[in-house]
């Protein structure tokens, strides 16, 4: 079965490969080529069981589902006691969508479930991912589930728990000694010369992930619309690096509103660590052409799974379309929020705390309903 | 509000405390005193959202829910390829209920959500648990959520990941240098003298957990009945130590059949490590009076969260009522199954592998539908 055709999100040119739009890349802009949006007309959200495969017709993959029970994660109401010393009182509702409940402990499972199914449909025998974070573990798990070989290119900054997880899942972990650029080049060669199926991006500037895989994230929007049935969600705050999750959630909400299943899509907010905050920098420019071409320096941060130097266009698109914004926080604020979540019973990865910390400010609007994406469990980073 | 009254499961005497039935204990038998079964008449399972608090009328706690989004975990179909070299071919369906998706990564969250709510309703300011496993982390998380102080008595065998998790959640971790018996005595003193609320058992022989907390496990049965709507579940295999999970699942199925929501309850099977297998030993006796009084030696095992020397009566009750059985496996078989699950994309704690390994034999019956309880994520034990 031929794969669903892909078109550049920005210039609409058709693209047959996984390295994004080469034409926009020549302008220095990393843009993903994506399949068309799905038509959700007639879907009964109350009966949607959650997860990417709960609505298979919304996915650009027609083969057999590859699943480990991903998605359908809980949304947990957080306390919004006013900070001591602050005059303002929270009056809105703050909710955390806890993606740590996924089978490998992160939101990446939604994407890899679909990406590996696409790899199987494409006849691949080996999948490859470059990741120093949760994507590598998710790729390893779903490849194992489908019986495919998996190679994960990592660097030395991978936390011990995550490294052990990838190894336990039987993936071949290659610690590439070079720069991120050199690692990407090595992955690109493996894709071109050996026919390995890429589950993450390897071109520069990054388009932001495998387009089929990214469609798995639309299920976050479907689940939120189902769970808050009839209530207006004001904003969804998303920890953002290459904006694969941000872009996917945005597309899901667009499909929901187009089908009349949701009155209005929430504002999307990109939450970034200050050490690597291209979206925050971009949105300071007035002109979109300048926003697209933003470059920032990127440094180390406690939110280790985040960090890009240019804003992937799919993220800008999601922010523009939803009237959204971007906010950056320094490591001190991120760690303070991380402790605050733990004090409420939730141990998440620090990247997730970026989102809930940003969300706390938005929820100060009276009556606001704000959802922060808790992208992953903190268990992988606790030791080592 | 007075707590729901408790009666001994075995002799029906009322009991006001959390150390089980003292009368049966005097006979050397550890029996929990439990609240009455709930009446589920009129419940629409198709609308049950999962988790203990999805059906609050089935719980013996009337206070405010304490929740972190526990329960509603996925059930994942496992491959049942015939083993190479074996002549028999699997013809049944093997499913794994993946409790690692709970907020602290184990089934214990279902219990502690209810147990901590009971502590709040009882006016406690401090909860205490003795655990070298997942119960300590779950107690810490739910206590934090409810704003209670939490003390966890552990021993030195706690894996590093779990230890770090308990610490991150702000619990006071007390490494008790003595024997398990001395640790229990210390906990009993704290309960008696300081009024700390006990979330685990501390008397000998163990009755098998806080009775209010244990009612949280009934939700596993409700979810299975909902998810396999109309299909006959032949057996549910449960990793068993003090049989809190086994007993809770059994009670849930009894409530479902009594209300006509399920045609017949599945057979329950206790899965044990050979190094500590009181239920397997007990069921070798013909006479129930002998079964109740079984004692075995207990040694170390890779399934570190399991291990008792006498069969908690609540487990025997669940096995008797469901026509169930008990099976013990040695560490080699447990580790082989652990690797087999990882090769399919699932990294669980070794205790969970005990259940799925036992389930593989049951599923050889043509047409059988067997569920193994995957009690916890393997992430906590991967490093350290």
């Amino acid at each position: 079965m031929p794969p669903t055709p892909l078109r550049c999100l920005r210039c609409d040119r058709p693209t047959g490969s996984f390295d994004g739009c080469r034409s926009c890349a020549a302008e220095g802009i990393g843009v993903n080529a994506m399949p068309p949006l799905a038509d959700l007309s007639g879907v009964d959200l109350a009966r949607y069981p959650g997860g990417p495969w709960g609505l298979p017709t919304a996915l650009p993959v027609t083969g057999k589902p590859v699943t480990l029970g991903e998605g359908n994660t809980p949304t947990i109401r957080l306390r919004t006691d006013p900070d001591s010393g602050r005059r303002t009182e929270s009056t809105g509702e703050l909710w955390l969508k806890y993606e740590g409940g996924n089978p490998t402990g992160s939101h990446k499972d939604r994407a890899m479930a679909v990406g590996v199914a696409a790899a199987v449909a494409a006849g691949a025998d080996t999948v490859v991912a470059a990741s120093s974070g949760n994507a590598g573990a998710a790729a390893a798990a779903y490849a194992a589930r489908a019986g495919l070989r998996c190679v994960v290119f990592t660097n030395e900054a991978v936390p011990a728990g995550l490294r052990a997880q990838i190894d336990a899942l039987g993936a071949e972990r290659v610690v590439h000694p070079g720069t991120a650029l050199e690692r990407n080049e090595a992955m690109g060669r493996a894709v071109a010369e050996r026919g390995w199926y890429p589950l993450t991006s390897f071109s520069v500037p990054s388009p932001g992930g495998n387009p089929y895989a990214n469609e798995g994230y639309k299920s976050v929007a479907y689940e939120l619309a189902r769970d808050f049935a009839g209530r207006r969600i004001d904003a969804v705050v998303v920890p953002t690096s290459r904006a694969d999750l941000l872009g996917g959630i945005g597309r899901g909400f667009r499909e929901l509103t187009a089908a009349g299943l949701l009155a209005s899509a929430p504002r999307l907010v990109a939450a970034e660590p200050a050490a690597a905050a291209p979206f925050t920098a971009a949105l300071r420019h007035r002109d979109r052409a300048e926003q697209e071409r933003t470059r920032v320096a990127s440094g180390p941060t406690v939110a280790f799974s985040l960090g890009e130097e240019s804003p992937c266009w799919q993220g800008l698109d999601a922010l523009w379309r939803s009237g959204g914004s971007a906010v950056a926080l320094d490591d001190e604020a991120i760690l303070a929020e991380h402790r605050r979540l733990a004090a409420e019973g939730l141990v998440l990865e620090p990247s997730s705390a970026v989102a809930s910390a940003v969300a706390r400010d938005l929820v100060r609007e009276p009556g606001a309903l704000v959802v922060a994406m808790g992208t992953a469990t903190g268990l992988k980073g606790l030791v080592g």
Side-chain angles (χ1 to χ4, degrees), chain A residues 53-140:
Chain A
W53 298 111
L55 209 47
T57 55
L59 296 177
V61 181
T62 48
K64 204 179 154 200
V66 177
T67 181
L68 290 165
E70 60 290 333
N72 209 32
T73 54
T75 310
I76 306 164
R77 177 96 184 254
L78 297 182
R79 285 197 294 258
T80 45
D81 315 321
D83 296 346
S84 56
R86 290 217 193 199
R87 272 175 311 155
T88 52
E89 271 203 34
S90 303
T91 45
E93 291 179 24
L94 174 57
W95 294 80
L96 182 89
K97 190 152 174 70
Y98 179 61
E99 292 286 293
N102 279 300
T104 76
S106 90
H107 68 291
K108 294 283 180 184
D109 290 340
R110 294 181 191 264
M112 293 307 174
V114 183
V116 169
V120 171
D125 59 10
T126 302
V127 294
V128 57
S131 166
S132 52
N134 294 305

Side-chain angles (χ1 to χ4, degrees), chain A residues 244-319:
Chain A
D244 47 345
L245 179 58
L246 180 69
I249 293 175
R251 287 168 61 85
F253 279 122
R254 285 170 63 197
E255 291 176 350
L256 289 163
T257 51
L261 297 172
L262 194 69
S264 66
R267 202 158 29 109
L268 299 180
V269 179
E272 302 179 293
F279 287 97
T280 306
L283 293 192
R284 285 199 195 106
H285 296 295
R286 258 188 82 184
D287 186 55
R288 287 194 176 180
E290 279 185 81
Q291 293 183 12
E292 293 176 335
R293 288 168 177 81
T294 303
R295 289 287 173 285
V296 296
S298 137
T301 159
V302 292
F304 72 90
S305 64
L306 304 180
E308 277 294 314
E309 304 194 341
S310 59
C312 289
W313 201 88
Q314 62 190 6
L316 288 173
D317 188 43
L319 298 179

